[in-house]
């Protein structure tokens, strides 16, 4: 397909496609003349991934490039590629001084992950993210120990193993797997949050509402 057809099929404007080509995010098309190139399904799939990372993942171009580089590196395992995308879309964590409270929160995270038996990279940003949450909970006098976290951990593990991993197309192109991961993590994460709040309202109405 020509670049105009690629634009129409992908919903990405021609100037933006040309920008992605210049930045190396999109591979060059097959040259058919001095001024024209032909594009295929691989280009369309790559544009869908870029849109998912940009519009849903809210990633800057520099972070998108890192994910694309991982996708294109055939020496990397799919686990590494998916992890690169997962880490890229993780929310930023405010830096903390290396104080005693922060050290205790980080140690609690490490102990929780070890007790759960989960295989989590020592440098995973999710460790920092969870430590920040635990630090806030502790400061507000809320339970923040392993037992308080276990119901959430069990629910998350059941959801991922019983459903979410099955939605990732692992036998096809890596772009499709990463796109599914990003869309699922961000969008269905919001669905889970909204459904939980709906459940709170429903149970509250049944337990505490007017009879």
């Amino acid at each position: 397909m020509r670049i105009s057809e690629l634009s129409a099929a992908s919903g990405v404007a021609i100037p933006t496609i040309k920008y992605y080509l210049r930045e190396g995010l999109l591979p060059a098309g097959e040259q058919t003349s001095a001024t024209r190139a032909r594009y295929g399904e691989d280009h369309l799939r790559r544009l869908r991934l870029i849109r998912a990372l940009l519009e849903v993942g809210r990633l800057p171009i520099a972070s998108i490039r890192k994910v694309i580089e991982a996708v294109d590196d055939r020496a990397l395992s799919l686990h590494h590629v998916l992890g690169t995308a997962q880490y890229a879309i993780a929310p930023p964590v405010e830096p903390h001084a290396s104080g005693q409270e922060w050290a205790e929160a980080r140690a609690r995270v490490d102990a929780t992950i070890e007790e759960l038996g989960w295989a989590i990279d020592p440098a995973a940003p999710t460790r920092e993210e969870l430590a920040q949450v635990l630090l806030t909970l502790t400061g507000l006098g809320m339970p923040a120990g392993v037992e308080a976290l276990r119901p959430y951990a069990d629910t998350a593990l059941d959801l991922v193993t019983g459903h979410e991993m099955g939605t990732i197309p692992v036998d096809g192109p890596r772009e499709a797997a990463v796109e599914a991961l990003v869309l699922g993590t961000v969008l269905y994460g919001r669905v889970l949050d909204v459904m939980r709040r709906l459940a709170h309202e429903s149970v509250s109405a049944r337990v505490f509402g007017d009879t």
Side-chain angles (χ1 to χ4, degrees), residues 34-147:
T35 57
R36 290 188 178 182
R38 187 181 304 280
Y39 303 90
E41 288 298 318
D42 290 347
H43 296 88
L44 189 58
R45 192 160 43 238
R46 176 60 60 86
L47 285 175
R48 284 200 298 263
L49 173 57
I50 294 172
R51 288 192 64 180
L53 293 169
L54 183 66
E55 298 174 13
V56 178
R58 303 290 186 182
L59 296 184
I61 292 298
S63 297
I64 292 176
R65 180 177 288 107
K66 290 181 181 179
V67 176
I68 295 297
E69 288 173 352
V71 169
D72 288 338
D73 188 346
R74 297 297 163 178
L76 298 179
S77 67
L78 182 59
H79 171 67
H80 189 109
V81 174
L82 294 177
T84 300
Q86 189 76 272
Y87 291 177
I89 63 175
V93 177
E94 296 179 7
H96 286 268
S98 56
Q100 182 65 25
E101 291 182 344
W102 176 250
E104 290 175 357
R106 278 294 277 111
R108 206 177 315 152
V109 169
D110 295 342
T112 299
I113 291 173
E114 183 176 357
E115 182 167 327
L116 291 170
W118 289 4
I120 308 297
D121 191 285
T126 39
R127 289 178 182 264
E128 302 288 310
E129 187 180 354
L130 183 56
Q132 186 180 52
V133 174
L134 296 186
L135 194 60
T136 302
L137 286 170
T138 301
L140 295 172
M142 299 286 287
V146 175
E147 291 309 311

Side-chain angles (χ1 to χ4, degrees), residues 195-209:
M195 294 301 294
R196 181 168 167 269
R197 284 185 276 129
L198 287 170
H200 266 285
E201 180 176 348
S202 178
V203 173
S204 176
R206 185 172 65 251
V207 176
F208 306 119

Side-chain angles (χ1 to χ4, degrees), residues 132-196:
Q132 186 180 52
V133 174
L134 296 186
L135 194 60
T136 302
L137 286 170
T138 301
L140 295 172
M142 299 286 287
V146 175
E147 291 309 311
L149 299 180
R150 183 169 291 279
Y152 300 94
D154 292 344
T155 299
L157 187 61
D158 288 344
L159 181 62
V160 171
T161 56
H163 174 67
E164 291 187 352
M165 287 303 292
T167 67
I168 298 176
V170 296
D171 295 328
R174 288 183 165 191
E175 283 92 345
V178 174
E179 180 187 6
L181 174 77
V182 172
L183 295 179
T185 299
V186 176
L187 298 180
Y188 283 109
R190 293 174 188 165
V191 169
L192 179 61
D193 179 60
V194 172
M195 294 301 294
R196 181 168 167 269

